[in-house]
């Protein structure tokens, strides 16, 4: 097959899953079954206050698994917060060390656990492992330890993926660490733990699911890349038959339950659908990749000045990841539409739940997105989170650093294209 | 949640996947990446003759992985063939031993590799691990070694599952060994290796896919079981939202490409669809389970007298697994139809590729099956493989031993029900 110029192979992986109301109560058994005897439980102060990590600790104890708790995970991890977490983990490890990790939280917590696991096993500094060209892109030198993820938001899908996303403070840029050994060995997904999520968090996290599904579904097909060798294969294959299945399924669940999960947060069926959608979208995009909206989100989040999102308990300016990825999505999908109109139209139908939506085909997906974002209270555009036209140049520059993501776009944007996307995303309605 | 009487949780797992034409050429890299340095390659004489195991060996050698070859895997493994394979593996291991396995073949080869892996690591006899009540149902006492599966038929999906199926010769019964640690750590699925499969093998193996998809799709829903504890969870959860997705996708691919893969074996697109269907169905049924058609297949295969399938190079009487599972399927789905008419009708539409097939709803799935089986040359029924009405009692008795499978049936069959299914399956057309 080496005479083929274009790719014919894709890879796919996802961790084993335990899904459903009550799943989290079995975590002690599941951790013990992995042969793990002493774990570090990672969480953040908000989740710690809900009592969930204490319930996890009880279950671990009952199963004979020793644990220590780190409850100071930083919302939207930074290189500094990851270094701090790794240092504290090292202190907590003591002489016996940890032989596993349990992450109880949203994407920030799970990603922090991935980094702590990596740094505790392979050593070195965070920047050694951050993707090139931002970091040195080094592969782990040692096997990681088993990490069990208990997501508490329906959003990131980090429980399914081999990626850790972080802000590099000195460079004002977001980047990631990506390696198969970062993937959790088990995802325990329990919709009950999301019942008390505030509406604003449900809305933002849910938009992350929407973008994961839409971006992986519209990503450059894996067959359009130049042929890799075994050594040069990347985590993000482009869209493929397996990721397509999961993206479509996630969009179907979103259409059915997203608005209701935001507006009637105690509806367990809607919460279950959203947890399933997050997991399914993670099983898709974790292998296919995401593109322009996620690439644009990185500078939006990294360059934040004084925006403080309603409904978040943030002690500093921040744009929640789910907000930042959605703000440029309508314009981005208008830009990628010509690469595969049929696929964009089908995505719009799935997302809107309307097999025959009105309007010109190119406007259907942007239209479905805007209708959803308005209904659930997402900011109206890039302007609403504090940016103006004179920020566009810097935003474009930050976006162009995300080559790993832009590489998966079905249409390669120039700086001018990205400028246009940002400018037309100032106010989506 | 412990006050709920019925189940609210399901589990799901599948190995990482490398899929596509040319995937097998990278196997040396993939095995080396697992940290494995000396592997046993298992295959059967027919596959060995195609040269594929030699290609695998070359790739291993180029990646610095030492190997030994066992090319005498028995078609449809037995307790005796597994003991023999484990003994030979032990001889070949020598002083250095193996730290991994590569299975190159159909379900028989992959299942044999699972058993060799288990017996080489945990010791003991095959019957110690065979599911109760046939065997002792013991769990492995030691971790297994990495097993990489390279399926050469589009059928069993064994590359995705934690199950090894075998004939117990002394008891004239088929049974299985089932444990998560039996699951391959990587499935390398390359449609090119199926291009030369004979039509009869393509047809039978493909019917195994069809039954995996249909049986898991119609299986008792996981929510209908009494609530498990962490300790009592079983591999076969019943149908669930994840297995449903895989089953539906497999049926869609089958509708598009099964007949063409049999009739125009060199069509790479059809072969790719069948490989994907097999893998997808495996990712579904490996977690949901299979029921009546598979349970009935066990005595059909175990009690064979002198049937020798056309197109197979069998030196003894045997009913290929894919034939034996399909012979009672039309009658079995007629029996289960009332438990969920809508789901049976939808399955029929997916399998036939016809959204609005003719005929009474209860007959649509049996009708779609019979039409397919006739087109691809499957025997017309249980009579065509050598059984008559006076065998029904023994066939029913053998079927009733498969409680692990019957437990997943959406409608529990009595002995009389099974007798009716066998009698009406003597001639499906």
């Amino acid at each position: 097959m080496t005479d083929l110029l274009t790719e014919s192979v894709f890879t796919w992986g996802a961790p084993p899953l335990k899904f459903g109301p009550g799943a989290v109560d079995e975590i002690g058994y599941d951790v013990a079954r992995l042969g793990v005897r002493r774990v570090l439980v990672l969480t953040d102060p908000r989740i710690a206050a809900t009592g969930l990590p204490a319930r996890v600790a009880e279950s671990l104890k009952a199963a004979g698994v020793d644990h220590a708790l780190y409850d100071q995970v930083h919302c939207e991890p930074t290189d500094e917060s990851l270094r701090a977490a790794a240092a504290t983990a090292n202190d907590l490890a003591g002489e016996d060390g940890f032989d596993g990790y349990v992450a109880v939280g949203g994407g920030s917590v799970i990603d922090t656990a991935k980094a702590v696991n990596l740094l505790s096993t392979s050593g070195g500094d965070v920047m050694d492992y951050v993707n090139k060209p931002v970091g040195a892109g080094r592969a782990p030198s040692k096997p990681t330890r088993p990490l069990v993820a208990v997501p508490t938001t329906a959003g990131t899908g980090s429980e399914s993926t081999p990626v850790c996303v972080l802000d590099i403070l000195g460079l004002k840029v977001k980047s990631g660490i990506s390696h198969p050994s970062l993937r959790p060995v088990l995802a325990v997904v329990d919709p009950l733990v999301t019942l008390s999520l505030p509406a604003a968090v449900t809305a933002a996290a849910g938009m992350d699911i929407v973008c994961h599904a839409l971006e992986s579904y519209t990503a450059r097909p894996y067959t359009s890349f130049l042929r890799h060798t075994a050594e040069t294969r990347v985590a993000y294959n482009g869209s493929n038959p397996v990721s397509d299945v999961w993206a479509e399924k996630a969009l179907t669940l979103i259409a059915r339950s997203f608005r209701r999960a935001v507006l009637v947060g105690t509806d367990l069926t809607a919460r279950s659908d959203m947890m399933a959608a997050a997991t399914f979208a993670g099983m898709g995009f974790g292998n296919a990749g995401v593109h322009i909206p996620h690439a644009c989100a990185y500078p939006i989040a990294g360059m934040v000045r004084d925006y403080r999102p309603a409904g978040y308990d943030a002690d500093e300016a921040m744009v929640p990841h789910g907000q930042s990825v959605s703000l440029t999505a309508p314009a981005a999908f208008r830009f990628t539409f010509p690469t595969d109109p049929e696929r964009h139209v089908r995505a719009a139908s799935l997302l809107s739940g309307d097999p025959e939506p009105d309007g010109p085909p190119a406007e259907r997906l942007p239209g479905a997105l805007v209708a959803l974002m308005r209904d659930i209270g997402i900011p109206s555009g890039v302007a609403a989170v504090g940016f103006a036209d004179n920020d566009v140049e810097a935003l474009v520059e930050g976006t162009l650093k995300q080559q790993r993501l832009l590489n998966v776009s079905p249409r390669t944007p120039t700086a001018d294209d990205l400028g246009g996307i940002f400018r037309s995303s100032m106010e989506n309605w």
Side-chain angles (χ1 to χ4, degrees), chain A:
Chain A
M1 294 303 294
T2 43
D3 50 345
L4 268 187
L5 279 178
T6 52
E7 188 54 86
S8 63
V9 170
F10 67 91
T11 58
W12 183 83
L17 185 64
K18 183 173 269 193
F19 186 100
V24 80
D25 294 322
E26 301 181 3
I27 193 157
Y29 174 86
D30 286 316
V31 169
R33 194 176 50 79
L34 293 167
V36 168
R37 291 293 164 259
R38 184 157 190 265
V39 296
L40 178 64
V41 177
L42 297 100
T43 193
D44 67 28
R46 192 188 70 77
I47 307 285
T50 68
L52 178 62
R55 266 174 61 208
V56 166
E58 275 305 306
S59 176
L60 290 168
K61 203 172 153 186
V65 178
D66 197 11
H67 83 282
L69 178 69
Y70 175 70
D71 62 3
Q72 295 299 315
V73 167
H74 189 272
C75 184
E76 308 287 337
T78 68
D79 52 338
E80 286 182 15
S81 82
L82 295 181
R83 283 188 200 102
T88 308
N90 191 42
D91 292 344
L92 291 167
E95 281 188 16
D96 294 340
F98 298 114
D99 50 9
Y101 302 89
V102 176
V104 183
S108 297
V109 172
I110 300 170
D111 282 7
T112 298
K114 290 174 182 173
V116 166
N117 190 359
L118 169 65
L119 294 171
S120 302
T121 45
S122 285
D125 182 71
V126 184
M127 296 305 293
D128 296 340
Y129 303 101
V130 168
N131 296 317
K132 288 180 185 174
V134 178
R138 216 169 83 189
S141 59
K142 299 267 175 61
T144 51
R145 301 185 182 111
L147 162 61
V148 176
V150 184
T152 59
T153 57
T156 69
S158 176
E159 66 278 5
S160 297
T161 76
V163 177
C164 159
V165 176
L166 68 156
D167 283 305
I168 320 289
L169 293 177
L171 303 175
K172 281 213 168 237
V173 67
K174 266 206 177 195
S175 189
I177 303 173
S178 173
H179 192 271
S181 68
L182 264 60
R183 200 193 300 275
V185 299
L186 176 67
V188 177
V189 184
D190 188 337
L192 281 178
V193 312
T194 63
L195 283 182
S196 62
L197 271 187
V201 177
T202 305
M207 285 310 299
D208 198 18
I209 309 175
V210 171
C211 288
H212 287 158
L214 292 176
E215 291 175 53
S216 58
Y217 194 59
T218 58
R220 212 176 132 179
Y222 76 103
T223 47
S224 74
F225 288 86
L226 285 179
R227 194 165 179 80
H228 293 95
T229 64
E231 292 78 9
T232 63
R233 291 202 178 281
V234 287
Y236 285 177
N237 290 256
S239 63
N240 61 69
V242 177
S243 62
D244 285 352
V245 170
W246 293 114
E248 290 186 359
K249 187 70 189 175
L251 290 172
T252 305
L253 292 168
I254 288 279
R256 184 167 78 184
S257 292
F258 191 3
R259 286 168 173 86
R260 188 164 171 84
V262 173
L263 301 172
V264 190
T266 52
D267 183 320
L268 183 57
T269 303
R271 293 292 196 180
S272 292
D273 278 356
M274 291 304 287
M275 271 307 220
T279 306
F280 293 176
M283 290 162 96
F285 95 87
N287 300 283
V290 285
H291 55 87
I292 297 176
H294 266 73
C296 292
Y298 281 12
I300 291 174
M303 289 167 54
V304 65
R305 294 201 191 90
D306 49 16
Y307 175 70
R308 285 174 192 246
Y312 277 75
D313 199 16
D315 54 7
E316 59 196 280
M318 57 96 78
V319 187
H321 180 67
Q323 291 187 6
S324 64
V325 293
S326 56
L327 299 180
T328 61
F333 293 119
R334 215 172 266 124
F335 175 73
T336 58
F337 177 82
T339 64
D340 194 338
E342 198 186 333
R343 196 169 265 255
H344 285 69
V345 164
R346 174 153 172 76
S349 293
L350 291 169
L351 179 61
S352 62
D354 180 353
E356 295 290 345
D358 290 339
E363 285 304 314
R364 286 188 199 157
L365 187 50
L369 277 164
V370 164
L372 174 62
M373 289 159 70
R374 291 183 75 148
D375 281 351
I376 60 173
I378 296 292
S380 63
V382 177
V385 300
F387 297 96
D389 277 350
N390 58 10
D391 294 311
V392 165
E393 197 177 332
L395 288 166
V396 168
E397 198 184 326
T399 303
L400 284 170
K401 286 184 185 152
Q402 309 304 327
Q403 284 303 318
R404 194 177 59 97
L405 307 187
L406 294 177
N407 185 42
V408 188
S409 173
R411 182 177 175 186
T412 305
T414 63
D416 277 357
D417 293 330
L418 289 172
I421 287 172
F422 276 111
R423 269 185 291 272
S424 66
S425 301
M426 284 295 160
E427 288 185 336
N428 284 306
W429 60 86

